[in-house]
Amino acid sequence: MPELFTWEFATDPYPAYAWLREHAPVRWTRLPSGVEAWLVTRYAEAREALADGRLSKNPVHHAEDPRARGKTGIPGERGADLMTHLLNIDPPDHTRLRRLVSKAFTPRRVAQFAPRVAELTDRFIDGFAGRGQADLIHEFAFPLPIHAICDLLGVPAEDQDDFRAWAGMMIRHGGGPRGGVARSVKRMRAYLVELIERKRDDPGDDLISGLIRASDHGEQLTGNEAAAMAFILLFAGFETTVNLIGNGVHTLLGHPAERRRLQESLARGESALLETAVEELLRHDGPVELATWRYATAPLTIGGRAIAAGDPVLVVLAAADRDPARFEGPDTLDLARRDNPHLGYGHGIHYCLGAPLARLEARTALAALLTRLPDLRLAVDPGELRWRGGLIMRGLRTLPVEFGAETPAGVQHKDTGR
Ligand code: HEM
């Protein structure tokens, strides 16, 4: 049995997941926090568990260990009155809230946001393009989604610096001093509640105004529900997108032939390969390594193992998405892969609400980087890269890169606004 949760595991968990899939596909495991949970690693069982209504998302169903409660991977949410969000609730509450948010957070709203994402992307690349080197996590993957979500939610420009500082504190120091994170969550909650009140009186065309306006059979979100919803949209969509861009660029740099294939396709002005590429990058090394916590509400079996009521179950998306029983050559990166029903966005009623936005941001970011900086390369030995050690998310701490001068084609691509 390979050791889990070590430094080597954080760097490359896939050999350990291959072992688990083969020898112990549903395994009771002690996590670094001391809490124990079932790890589900095969695709078929993972997909089934994600859609199994007997597995609750509500932490009150955890039988034993209060330390596991409220662990969605979002720092500081406990005690901040922000717990009642989509990832912690079950039907019928989940159905009601999801229906309301879906009325405001529509694919159309995301599509209309495309020019703004392109503008932000170019602005951040402009910041380092002339310098020949950059840390792509801190200078690109990190600021892009937080600026995007602030704009989408409708956080006024004059408040965005504060808002970004709180969000950054919560993500960067998730494992750091507790007081700082708790203070940031408290400030952000107070800010969101106040912003919602302001937008009630003076609505705009933004997502928060849309959340306030959304109604379903006469029902609307309460102020607290709208604040919790804005909070979950921010957190479910922030670090995930940072790591989708970070892991995606890292994977492309390690697969020069596939990266060249994508660059050539972009140079021909095609988008089909870019679309399948983002899905394949998600499958191959996606940002959400484990789905969020689930708890058995009744005795059940998964893959022949008896799960007791109250047991926590963690579906290992990263392991399921490399299962040779479902994917041909699962460890091979094939950017044109067509048969790719990966679980990177989850499955079932909690399927990622932000998938259209995530796709838009990842496609825009990767296309712009590869077009404007065609000789992008790692500035350090791959062995020097360090991965964050969190349980749910998989992502790099830094991604130092170097590159030559921007190409005339890249400049032209920028000037024409795409
Ligand atoms: C960038 C890549 C992203 C990935 C890989 C991703 C992945 C996921 C996954 C795996 C889940 C399901 C978790 C579970 O069942 O335990 C989920 C749920 C969710 N995601 Fe995403 N996400 C991404 C971006 C976003 C964005 C940009 C937003 C919004 C701005 C967002 C909002 C949400 C919400 C609200 C949920 C909860 C849905 C529910 O419980 O009904 N995500 N996401």
Side-chain angles (χ1 to χ4, degrees):
M1 162 80 200
E3 238 189 300
L4 305 178
F5 315 119
T6 58
W7 179 81
E8 286 81 7
F9 174 79
T11 304
D12 180 9
Y14 296 103
Y17 288 149
W19 190 94
L20 280 175
R21 263 192 327 260
E22 190 169 342
H23 301 284
V26 181
R27 188 190 170 93
W28 187 244
T29 307
R30 180 176 292 274
L31 306 173
S33 63
V35 176
E36 293 180 295
W38 293 99
L39 293 186
V40 179
T41 46
R42 282 188 186 159
Y43 182 89
E45 284 122 23
R47 195 162 190 277
E48 217 173 288
L50 289 172
D52 191 328
R54 295 167 301 174
L55 291 175
S56 166
K57 296 288 297 118
N58 190 332
V60 300
H61 291 290
H62 190 192
E64 285 174 15
D65 197 327
R67 277 175 301 174
R69 291 191 179 170
K71 287 268 177 79
T72 47
I74 299 168
E77 65 175 351
R78 262 195 296 170
D81 210 12
L82 294 166
M83 275 285 284
T84 316
H85 61 64
L86 292 171
L87 280 171
N88 278 337
I89 55 174
D90 302 316
D93 291 339
H94 177 269
T95 322
R96 181 178 72 85
L97 289 184
R98 177 123 183 175
R99 212 184 281 143
L100 281 166
V101 66
S102 303
K103 292 193 172 196
F105 193 24
T106 57
R108 189 160 159 262
R109 181 183 291 279
V110 173
Q112 284 168 343
F113 197 53
R116 178 67 181 143
V117 172
E119 196 183 312
L120 286 170
T121 301
D122 275 336
R123 195 213 300 167
F124 293 121
I125 298 179
D126 287 345
F128 55 77
R131 205 194 313 140
Q133 48 87 15
D135 172 8
L136 277 192
I137 298 294
H138 290 107
E139 296 180 69
F140 186 64
F142 191 86
L144 177 61
I146 188 68
H147 277 75
I149 197 78
C150 274
D151 283 358
L152 193 72
L153 285 173
V155 177
E158 64 272 21
D159 300 341
Q160 287 200 4
D161 281 349
D162 278 347
F163 196 82
R164 283 194 290 266
W166 300 324
M169 173 79 185
M170 288 183 238
I171 286 201
R172 270 194 268 243
H173 303 292
R178 292 190 126 223
V181 176
R183 245 191 325 276
S184 296
V185 176
K186 234 170 126 175
R187 287 191 185 140
M188 182 170 293
R189 183 186 178 280
Y191 175 78
L192 286 172
V193 168
E194 195 227 295
L195 182 62
I196 286 163
E197 282 319 305
R198 264 196 275 160
K199 291 204 184 268
R200 248 186 235 290
D201 296 334
D202 184 17
D205 193 27
D206 50 74
L207 183 53
I208 288 189
S209 301
L211 286 173
I212 296 168
R213 253 195 314 267
S215 72
D216 189 47
H217 295 101
E219 278 199 274
Q220 287 189 302
L221 294 174
T222 65
N224 268 344
E225 283 172 343
M229 190 66 83
F231 186 81
I232 185 68
L233 286 175
L234 172 73
F235 274 94
F238 180 18
E239 198 175 359
T240 44
T241 311
V242 174
N243 294 333
L244 176 53
I245 297 171
N247 296 6
V249 173
H250 172 255
T251 301
L252 287 172
L253 296 185
H255 293 79
E258 284 299 281
R259 170 248 182 103
R260 222 174 7 257
R261 186 181 179 193
L262 180 56
Q263 274 173 317
E264 286 166 5
S265 152
L266 290 168
R268 290 192 298 271
E270 297 164 0
S271 62
L273 189 63
L274 179 63
E275 287 169 20
T276 52
V278 168
E279 302 311 304
E280 175 68 346
L281 292 169
L282 251 169
R283 183 198 68 81
H284 189 267
D285 198 16
V288 185
E289 190 166 340
L290 274 67
T292 54
W293 293 73
R294 286 170 163 73
Y295 309 92
T297 54
L300 60 130
T301 50
I302 302 180
R305 299 298 302 263
I307 314 289
D311 281 358
V313 175
L314 287 168
V315 176
V316 188
L317 305 177
D321 279 345
R322 295 234 194 161
D323 187 342
R326 182 59 191 85
F327 297 97
E328 215 182 301
D331 295 323
T332 304
L333 181 78
D334 173 7
L335 296 183
R337 191 183 287 268
R338 288 261 155 223
D339 178 25
N340 188 6
H342 65 77
L343 300 177
Y345 289 121
H347 172 64
I349 62 168
H350 294 279
Y351 180 82
C352 180
L353 183 71
L357 178 61
R359 290 190 170 110
L360 170 68
E361 290 186 47
R363 288 174 191 167
T364 310
L366 293 178
L369 275 178
L370 293 177
T371 309
R372 290 186 58 180
L373 309 172
D375 66 341
L376 192 71
R377 55 198 178 268
L378 266 185
V380 295
D381 187 89
E384 287 177 40
L385 293 174
R386 295 287 170 268
W387 294 80
R388 290 176 188 275
L391 184 66
I392 304 278
M393 298 280 183
R394 170 164 173 75
L396 285 161
R397 289 179 190 279
T398 60
L399 183 54
V401 291
E402 52 190 23
F403 39 85
E406 199 172 350
T407 59
V411 172
Q412 191 183 6
H413 146 99
K414 192 186 105 194
D415 288 345
T416 53
R418 216 165 288 110

